[in-house]
Amino acid sequence: MKAVYIAMVAAGIVMTGQVQADEALAKAKNCMACHAIDKKLVGPAYKEVAAKYKGDAKAAEMLAAKVKSGGKGTWGQIPMPPNNVTDDEAKKLVAWVLGLK
């Protein structure tokens, strides 16, 4: 029983570290200037994005492309500019956003 508990605690620490790392990446790439986790700023709240695309198998790829090249019209008239991120960073950011509840 102790081993199971220790494994669960360790998994929680790893998951928490991953969430913090991806939130740190969002801050480092200035995503948080227009987005917040749980409230609309200039762009939608990340939790809104996660809810909108929940269960959509194609969402991660499509959103990563939007993060890199920008987009408009999905969440209103204010466009999201292209972001200076690598493909890997875009995928990490989108995975983090889609994992929010």
Side-chain angles (χ1 to χ4, degrees), residues 1-97:
M1 188 68 172
K2 276 186 180 179
V4 172
Y5 177 75
I6 291 170
M8 289 173 64
V9 170
I13 290 169
V14 170
M15 292 298 290
T16 301
Q18 184 65 35
V19 168
Q20 290 172 344
D22 293 330
E23 184 175 353
L25 179 60
K27 289 177 181 176
K29 295 297 181 175
N30 293 322
C31 303
M32 303 303 262
C34 295
H35 297 277
I37 292 173
D38 57 1
K39 64 182 176 185
K40 180 180 177 8
L41 295 178
V42 175
Y46 285 141
K47 287 185 177 185
E48 282 184 275
V49 175
K52 179 178 179 112
Y53 294 103
K54 183 178 181 178
D56 183 342
K58 296 180 182 181
E61 184 177 334
M62 180 270 298
L63 291 172
K66 278 191 172 187
V67 168
K68 285 197 58 124
S69 61
K72 72 175 196 175
T74 304
W75 295 93
Q77 296 302 312
I78 299 173
M80 181 176 75
N83 293 279
N84 186 20
V85 296
T86 65
D87 289 341
D88 187 50
E89 289 170 334
K91 289 175 186 175
K92 284 181 183 178
L93 289 165
V94 168
W96 170 64
V97 169

